[in-house]
Amino acid sequence: MTGLPSRRRTARLSAVALILSVLPALPSTTPSADAATPRPPSDHALARTPARPAPSREQFYLVLPDRFANGTTSNDEGGLTGGRSRTGHDPTDKHFYQGGDLRGLIEKLDYIKGLGTTALWMAPVFKNRPVQTMSGTEMASYHGYSITDFTRVDPHFGTNAELAELVDKAHAKGMKVFFDVITNHTADTVDYAEKTYGYRSKGAFPYLDAEGRPFDDSSGMREVDEDGFPYTPRPRPGEHDTKVPAWLNDPTMYHNRGDSTFAGESALYGDFKGNDDLWTERPEVVEGMRRIYEAWVKDFGIDGFRVDTAKNVNMAFWTQWATALDAYAARQGKRDFFIFAEAFSADPVVMAPYLTEGRLDATLDFPMQAALRNYASRGGPTRDLVHVLAQDHRYTTDKANAYGEVTFLGSHDMGRIGSFISQDNPGADDAELLRRDRFAHELMFLSRGNPVIYAGDEQGFTGSADDVYARQTLFASKVPEYLDDDQIGTERTHASDAYDPRHPLYKAIASLSQLTKRHPALRDGVQEERYADDGPGVYAFSRTDLRKQVEYVVAVNNAAKARTVGVPTYSAGMDFRGVYGSSARVRSGADRKVRV
């Protein structure tokens, strides 16, 4: 890439240089001296059957149905009447329903597919309490995390029939459909007789069994009545039977320890921002949640789940639940059913146990997100990438590994990559911001894992902060905070619709998708680090298809000046040709290095 002018400096971001080579045949192992002893398989034979049990070629598109497209205004108020405190609908307030729905998603499937999307990932669509007060603020449940009925679609989004239509039409276009699901909590219908809500610990307030004896639920469950909890649970007036399935209306199915502080024990046992925290250590809860989500697999043909708040659920629950769901999906003919977890941490040591112990297939790769942002947006050192990728071995199980990780640059919870780039580069002009945004997407697409595009990122959306500030509508907005946002790569504002396939980021993402389809090793080929500068600068790695004996070299540079480096490869005297970001033809030397 050529240099980009900035009001603060002259910045240079290298294009990703991809170079292709055909490898020589890999050597066989030395034959045994004893002809009667069977020879072990050759390295070549072993290389032809790489372990990729989890999907490693998906390209996800993440949408909040309320914020993507309004297919019909007839369901904007969810069939309710009254003001926004009853219906939840107010398109001028970012905390309320904006009007997006399943009909809008159905009508825009070609737009989504045009990015190269293979998997549509939707935020929860189940029926919610329309409005709930959380952290002292009244807000609607457009995000989908205050569920009252786990068996039907929220009327703000449409009907179960429209969901079935969406799944069928997505499948017909070659796209899988993933649900964002919750097992940790439900809507807040359980109150406490004490009318206080601070967290009460297990040490100070142990559970009491029906005989009044204290016990530790992590060592086994006992029969408990409503007098055995730290607080005395009571259904809120008129809400003793509002949840579906009916077992969710039993107050003894919840922890009843007060609000989580999201630290220590309370992260597992506390109410999530007031929502009722399920007692996931109970076998009845494991069984109930299994049945709920098996029904969605059977009745709608869902292809996988992203599980919310995995860190707030005990690990034994995941082991039992994920194992059961995998087995059930396989019996329904979905042998590649894929479940990945949100566990907010940038440490692979924290993330990996959800695969090795919890039996999930992948996690949202927060460690990789942090490294990609630091390198591509902040001009950080290559060691961040080195450190994250060096720990990929931690994710390996009999059914999963790091190649199945779900990689992303930003999200509806933590904020957008466009926002991060704008924050990290104050004073940069739009050309540099666009360059960095594209650069981050290039590095994500060409590294191991399944990349995610968060709806709106392909249109240059930014946002002033995380969470609700990163949940702009793709249809024309009336929200003042969204109307104030700048967008990268366009003069358009949020007062207009944003479904432009000519936007430079949309085109860049679609191009990267096409590239990786032409060269599949760039999605799931073996990734091997080849070169890393000290500090900012050049980082290079290979993606190799050992079965076809093809090596790709990916070389990137985030420093402020051009570099020429020798990148090691597998072979000496082999010709390489540029396939992306470079038209160079080079030959590896006797030292097996190519000069880039």
Side-chain angles (χ1 to χ4, degrees):
M1 283 179 168
T2 57
L4 282 172
S6 166
R7 287 190 288 272
R8 295 186 298 109
R9 64 193 183 283
T10 299
R12 176 179 292 274
L13 291 173
S14 169
V16 179
L18 280 176
I19 330 180
L20 166 67
S21 171
V22 178
L23 294 172
L26 298 174
S28 299
T29 54
T30 303
S32 168
D34 182 0
T37 303
R39 288 183 294 180
S42 69
D43 291 344
H44 192 189
L46 291 172
R48 287 186 179 275
T49 55
R52 291 288 185 276
S56 53
R57 289 185 183 174
E58 300 293 357
Q59 180 182 324
F60 286 91
Y61 190 75
L62 165 61
V63 296
L64 276 69
D66 178 59
R67 304 297 165 105
F68 182 68
N70 192 348
T72 174
T73 59
S74 64
N75 57 23
D76 284 359
E77 296 183 341
L80 303 170
T81 58
R84 73 177 197 172
S85 294
R86 291 184 59 82
T87 70
H89 180 246
D90 182 355
T92 68
D93 191 322
K94 62 185 180 295
H95 290 295
F96 286 77
Y97 283 100
Q98 302 294 295
D101 49 37
L102 297 178
R103 180 56 53 192
L105 271 168
I106 291 168
E107 293 173 355
K108 296 292 185 183
L109 284 176
D110 285 339
Y111 168 86
I112 296 170
K113 179 66 175 177
L115 284 163
T117 304
T118 66
L120 175 63
W121 160 21
M122 294 187 295
V125 296
F126 313 112
K127 188 177 185 298
N128 275 241
R129 169 184 274 183
V131 179
Q132 189 160 302
T133 299
M134 301 180 71
S135 303
T137 301
E138 186 181 64
M139 61 183 68
S141 302
Y142 68 90
H143 192 189
Y145 291 115
S146 298
I147 300 172
T148 57
D149 187 343
F150 284 80
T151 68
R152 58 179 291 213
V153 170
D154 192 285
H156 290 86
F157 301 144
T159 65
N160 284 26
E162 285 177 305
L163 178 62
E165 180 185 351
L166 171 64
V167 174
D168 288 345
K169 289 185 174 178
H171 284 170
K173 293 180 183 294
M175 291 187 289
K176 298 178 180 179
V177 178
F178 284 70
F179 276 7
D180 203 323
V181 299
I182 301 99
T183 63
N184 178 59
H185 57 265
T186 67
D188 179 17
T189 66
V190 177
D191 198 5
Y192 301 147
E194 293 79 2
K195 298 298 181 182
T196 60
Y197 306 95
Y199 185 75
R200 291 184 173 179
S201 69
K202 292 170 64 176
F205 298 90
Y207 289 116
L208 305 178
D209 66 17
E211 303 299 323
R213 298 170 298 188
F215 72 98
D216 184 355
D217 63 321
S218 63
S219 300
M221 295 300 302
R222 298 183 189 174
E223 185 178 347
V224 180
D225 58 32
E226 292 181 8
D227 295 325
F229 292 91
Y231 286 106
T232 308
R234 294 284 185 269
R236 295 187 185 278
E239 297 195 276
H240 65 284
D241 62 353
T242 57
K243 293 178 183 175
V244 181
W247 66 267
L248 292 166
N249 294 302
D250 180 353
T252 68
M253 293 295 113
Y254 300 88
H255 281 129
N256 298 315
R257 290 195 165 274
D259 291 338
S260 177
T261 65
F262 302 103
E265 174 192 297
S266 81
L268 289 177
Y269 284 84
D271 287 353
F272 192 92
K273 297 183 178 180
N275 284 311
D276 299 337
D277 198 66
L278 282 159
W279 200 350
T280 50
E281 290 78 8
R282 292 191 67 139
E284 301 97 322
V285 174
V286 179
E287 175 72 6
M289 283 291 155
R290 176 185 69 80
R291 290 181 178 274
I292 283 171
Y293 291 115
E294 283 180 352
W296 289 102
V297 176
K298 178 182 179 182
D299 296 341
F300 291 85
I302 301 304
D303 300 287
F305 295 137
R306 177 268 203 184
V307 292
D308 178 61
T309 55
K311 284 177 66 176
N312 306 115
V313 177
N314 58 305
M315 191 66 76
F317 174 92
W318 295 125
T319 307
Q320 299 169 73
W321 185 83
T323 301
L325 262 294
D326 275 344
Y328 183 82
R331 292 196 298 273
Q332 300 298 313
K334 292 189 174 292
R335 299 189 181 280
D336 61 349
F337 198 78
F338 186 61
I339 307 175
F340 62 101
E342 177 222 32
F344 206 138
S345 173
D347 186 351
V349 175
V350 174
M351 307 294 278
Y354 292 96
L355 281 67
T356 57
E357 297 177 42
R359 302 300 293 164
L360 298 165
D361 296 302
T363 64
L364 271 175
D365 200 341
F366 284 94
M368 190 67 161
Q369 188 277 337
L372 291 173
R373 174 189 177 177
N374 206 35
Y375 183 81
S377 179
R378 293 170 168 160
T382 63
R383 67 173 175 269
D384 292 338
L385 293 164
V386 172
H387 174 72
V388 168
L389 293 166
Q391 299 187 70
D392 276 359
H393 64 92
R394 297 183 183 276
Y395 299 100
T396 303
T397 74
D398 60 310
K399 68 167 189 167
N401 54 47
Y403 292 81
E405 284 292 276
V406 179
T407 54
F408 67 107
L409 299 172
S411 73
H412 58 306
D413 290 328
M414 73 183 310
R416 296 183 178 277
I417 183 60
S419 178
F420 301 150
I421 289 170
S422 298
Q423 295 167 19
D424 296 340
N425 298 275
D429 61 14
D430 186 68
E432 182 180 345
L433 298 178
L434 177 61
R435 201 75 159 266
R436 288 187 181 274
D437 204 326
R438 185 170 59 237
F439 186 53
H441 280 91
E442 288 171 334
L443 193 48
M444 175 176 69
F445 265 78
L446 301 172
S447 300
R448 65 59 175 160
N450 299 286
V452 176
I453 303 301
Y454 170 37
D457 282 0
E458 77 280 8
Q459 296 293 333
F461 284 14
T462 56
S464 59
D466 60 2
D467 200 69
V468 70
Y469 292 93
R471 298 174 186 167
Q472 305 93 332
T473 56
L474 271 78
F475 52 96
S477 179
K478 299 177 182 177
V479 175
E481 294 91 337
Y482 299 160
L483 294 173
D484 281 345
D485 287 344
D486 289 327
Q487 296 182 35
I488 296 173
T490 179
E491 296 297 321
R492 184 191 57 226
T493 72
H494 283 292
S496 303
D497 290 354
Y499 307 101
D500 182 8
R502 299 166 299 176
H503 189 286
L505 286 171
Y506 185 104
K507 292 169 64 177
I509 292 165
S511 176
L512 286 164
S513 180
Q514 292 166 7
L515 175 75
T516 58
K517 284 181 172 64
R518 291 195 304 270
H519 305 282
L522 295 173
R523 286 266 35 85
D524 67 356
V526 174
Q527 182 160 337
E528 182 176 357
E529 184 177 293
R530 293 300 196 179
Y531 183 96
D533 273 332
D534 292 329
V538 176
Y539 184 72
F541 54 92
S542 288
R543 300 302 306 270
T544 306
D545 184 334
L546 292 170
R547 291 168 295 183
K548 295 183 178 179
Q549 302 185 44
V550 179
E551 178 179 11
Y552 298 77
V553 174
V554 181
V556 295
N557 178 22
N558 73 343
K561 62 180 181 180
R563 292 287 311 284
T564 299
V565 299
V567 178
T569 69
Y570 273 115
S571 311
M574 297 301 295
D575 294 319
F576 289 75
R577 63 180 178 86
V579 297
Y580 181 85
S582 170
S583 58
R585 288 182 176 269
V586 296
R587 188 176 181 85
S588 56
D591 58 359
R592 299 189 299 175
K593 292 182 179 181
V594 293
R595 291 182 65 77
V596 179

